[in-house]
Amino acid sequence: MAAESTTLIDVGVLFAAAALAGLVANEINQSVIPFYILVGMVLGEYVLGRIDFPALLGTDLVPHGSELALLDTDFVHLGAELGIVLLLFFLGLEFNLDRLIAAKERIGKAGTVDLLINFGIGLLFGYAIFRSFLPAVLTAGIVYISSSAIITKSLIDLGWIANDEADPMLGTLVYEDLFIAVYLAIASALVLGGDDVGEAAGQIGTAVAFILVLLLLVYLGTAWFQRSLETDSHEFVVLRALGITVLVSGAALALGVSEAVAAFFVGMAFSSTDHVHDLENLLEPLRDTFAAVFFFWIGLITDPTLFPGVAGLVALAALLTAPSKLVSGYLGGRIYDLDERRSVRVGLGMTTRGEFSLIIASVAIAGSGAGIAEGTAETIYAFAVGYVLFMSILGTTLMQYAGRIEDVVVPVLERRSGPAPRSTDD
């Protein structure tokens, strides 16, 4: 990892660029995530750093782009890790254990349909491309997991959060996130374990044991988590919550377990306390700030010259996995007894991929040369970034134009299955 220092002006450029990207995204009503990645890419060493301004402008008064480009410094990398931790902490915060248990049957059915269809297609696609099991598993994870962050934000922005279609969408996201928590732990152990089977098995055992301890903590530790934030000071609430979350996440990372998984379970533990509302209000700006750094960092370390080499893979994956999510989402809606219109809306809403796919890509690149060949890891990484860029734009666009799509698709479905009463809370 890079060890260059970060100056204050670099940090200022980073936040100013991210703020500008957010402004542009809001103006054209798109998700901000692709814009954070793009602006990071533009300001990084692979784009700005390669521009020879003196030769281009015919004067040495302008520095070479390499002197202006932002680098992947330790500061930026740590900020990105905090972004991952806070994103997963908030996802865990949404999943109260009691609510989860009450809807477990429908969540289980809809989530299993989603898993079998999308992970299955991803596994076949990955194996067909790489002819190897581990790269296929990583590819399957990348194309399977929907973006909890983008979908949840879109549900709120579009006013769907109180509608019937929100239940199967959030339920399926819960299933996906629980699956991916175990998946990330095992995939990280396999990828980082190299060729030593015993070492990899040991890391998997450590990961599973750590997750079991965290689950025990969620189940039995509510009283302790409740008392840990008993204070009238907002400052102390933030410091204590961050202290617990980052400390547990850091311990997980030191043991070779994903810090994202640990943060997810800490969030679940806090979800059963009376502090959820305070945590959401006080930590949300912090989460969004460091999440922006995370997506910016993804762009910063991405070489866009790799994209032409994976453009075909991205196009093929999109052709296979966008329809598969539409089908699995529609079936999930039907499992929740929704009508055709709302079931179609569930499918449209689940298409977006985002942060988890990028986390899996970062696992692949971290294991480059160890458990996975360097060239394969770079291909998976470039594919994941291109795929997330495309699917995040496609998914948010499908949700925005859901009404027009439903007007075309729903009559066809209703002619096949018979008319259903139309809901009135659109």
Side-chain angles (χ1 to χ4, degrees), residues 1 72-89 192 242 245-247 249-254 257-264 286-287 289-298 301 359 362-363 366:
M1 190 53 60
D72 172 27
T73 62
D74 287 344
F75 176 86
V76 177
H77 185 252
L78 188 59
E81 281 194 324
L82 284 172
I84 297 173
V85 165
L86 288 170
L87 274 171
L88 272 291
F89 172 79
L192 301 176
L242 285 180
T245 307
V246 178
L247 196 59
S249 301
L253 204 57
V257 181
S258 167
E259 73 276 32
V261 174
F264 176 82
L286 208 58
R287 175 203 64 184
T289 300
F290 283 104
V293 175
F294 168 64
F295 292 117
F296 188 94
W297 170 76
I298 289 290
I301 63 172
I359 290 170
S362 67
V363 169

Side-chain angles (χ1 to χ4, degrees), residues 217-239:
L217 200 64
V218 172
Y219 186 69
L220 300 175
T222 303
W224 184 85
F225 281 97
Q226 176 70 32
R227 286 197 303 274
S228 70
L229 299 186
E230 294 293 351
T231 171
D232 294 331
S233 167
H234 288 170
E235 176 186 349
F236 292 160
V237 169
V238 171
L239 287 174

Side-chain angles (χ1 to χ4, degrees), residues 326-327 329-331 333-334 338-348 402 405-420:
L326 292 172
V327 171
Y330 169 80
L331 293 175
R334 299 300 285 174
L338 300 186
D339 60 24
E340 303 284 4
R341 180 173 294 275
R342 295 198 180 282
S343 296
V344 167
R345 188 173 290 187
V346 174
L348 295 171
I405 298 171
E406 291 162 15
D407 289 342
V408 175
V409 176
V410 171
V412 177
L413 294 171
E414 287 182 343
R415 276 199 295 274
R416 290 177 50 202
S417 60

Side-chain angles (χ1 to χ4, degrees), residues 68 83 91 111 118 149 196 211-212 231 234 262 271 273 366 378 386 417 425:
L68 301 172
L91 291 174
N118 295 290
D196 189 331
I211 286 177
L212 289 176
T231 171
H234 288 170
S271 72
T273 70
E378 289 175 355
S417 60
D425 56 343

Side-chain angles (χ1 to χ4, degrees), residues 146 151 160 165 168-169 321-333 340-353 395 398-399:
S146 299
I151 292 173
W160 294 6
E165 61 268 23
M169 293 172 72
T321 60
S324 69
K325 272 290 179 184
L326 292 172
V327 171
S328 63
Y330 169 80
L331 293 175
E340 303 284 4
R341 180 173 294 275
R342 295 198 180 282
S343 296
V344 167
R345 188 173 290 187
V346 174
L348 295 171
M350 294 300 295
T351 308
T352 307
R353 271 70 152 195
L398 288 176
M399 290 183 79

Side-chain angles (χ1 to χ4, degrees), residues 32-325:
V32 295
I33 290 175
F35 288 83
Y36 289 150
I37 297 174
L38 284 173
V39 78
M41 207 181 300
V42 169
L43 294 179
E45 58 181 324
Y46 297 112
V47 177
L48 182 60
R50 287 173 175 166
I51 300 177
D52 188 354
F53 285 114
L56 199 64
L57 302 175
T59 172
D60 290 334
L61 294 175
V62 183
H64 192 284
S66 58
E67 298 175 37
L68 301 172
L70 296 182
L71 300 176
D72 172 27
T73 62
D74 287 344
F75 176 86
V76 177
H77 185 252
L78 188 59
E81 281 194 324
L82 284 172
I84 297 173
V85 165
L86 288 170
L87 274 171
L88 272 291
F89 172 79
F90 264 74
L91 291 174
L93 210 56
E94 296 293 326
F95 303 149
N96 183 286
L97 207 54
D98 294 334
R99 182 182 170 191
L100 204 66
I101 293 170
K104 62 181 184 302
E105 191 172 336
R106 282 179 166 177
I107 291 175
K109 287 180 181 176
T112 301
V113 168
D114 173 57
L115 174 68
L116 291 176
I117 292 177
N118 295 290
F119 196 88
I121 287 178
L123 201 60
L124 293 174
F125 174 72
Y127 195 82
I129 299 299
F130 298 108
R131 298 290 176 183
S132 180
F133 177 69
L134 189 51
V137 169
L138 293 174
T139 306
I142 288 167
V143 303
Y144 157 64
I145 188 80
S146 299
S147 171
S148 300
I150 299 175
I151 292 173
T152 304
K153 189 172 188 307
S154 297
L155 283 174
I156 294 169
D157 291 346
L158 293 171
W160 294 6
I161 195 70
N163 291 355
D164 293 339
E165 61 268 23
D167 281 344
M169 293 172 72
L170 293 176
T172 305
L173 290 177
V174 169
Y175 186 102
E176 287 186 353
D177 293 340
L178 289 175
F179 175 84
I180 217 70
V182 178
Y183 167 93
L184 274 176
I186 295 175
S188 298
L190 287 173
V191 171
L192 301 176
D195 296 328
D196 189 331
V197 176
E199 185 180 344
Q203 287 184 352
I204 291 172
T206 303
V208 172
F210 194 82
I211 286 177
L212 289 176
V213 170
L214 289 174
L215 272 173
L216 207 60
L217 200 64
V218 172
Y219 186 69
L220 300 175
T222 303
W224 184 85
F225 281 97
Q226 176 70 32
R227 286 197 303 274
S228 70
L229 299 186
E230 294 293 351
T231 171
D232 294 331
S233 167
H234 288 170
E235 176 186 349
F236 292 160
V237 169
V238 171
L239 287 174
R240 292 177 189 182
L242 285 180
I244 294 169
T245 307
V246 178
L247 196 59
V248 174
S249 301
L253 204 57
L255 291 171
V257 181
S258 167
E259 73 276 32
V261 174
F264 176 82
F265 282 107
V266 174
M268 275 192 77
F270 276 116
S271 72
S272 299
T273 70
D274 296 332
H275 303 296
V276 174
H277 183 68
D278 286 341
L279 287 172
E280 287 176 341
N281 284 340
L282 295 173
L283 293 182
E284 185 178 327
L286 208 58
R287 175 203 64 184
D288 291 343
T289 300
F290 283 104
V293 175
F294 168 64
F295 292 117
F296 188 94
W297 170 76
I298 289 290
L300 209 58
I301 63 172
T302 298
D303 183 355
T305 59
L306 297 174
F307 284 166
V310 296
L313 287 182
V314 171
L316 186 57
L319 284 172
L320 289 171
T321 60
S324 69
K325 272 290 179 184

Side-chain angles (χ1 to χ4, degrees), residues 30 318 322 348 351-352 389-399:
Q30 285 292 331
L348 295 171
T351 308
T352 307
L389 273 173
F390 182 80
M391 296 302 286
S392 59
I393 294 171
L394 176 67
T396 50
T397 303
L398 288 176
M399 290 183 79

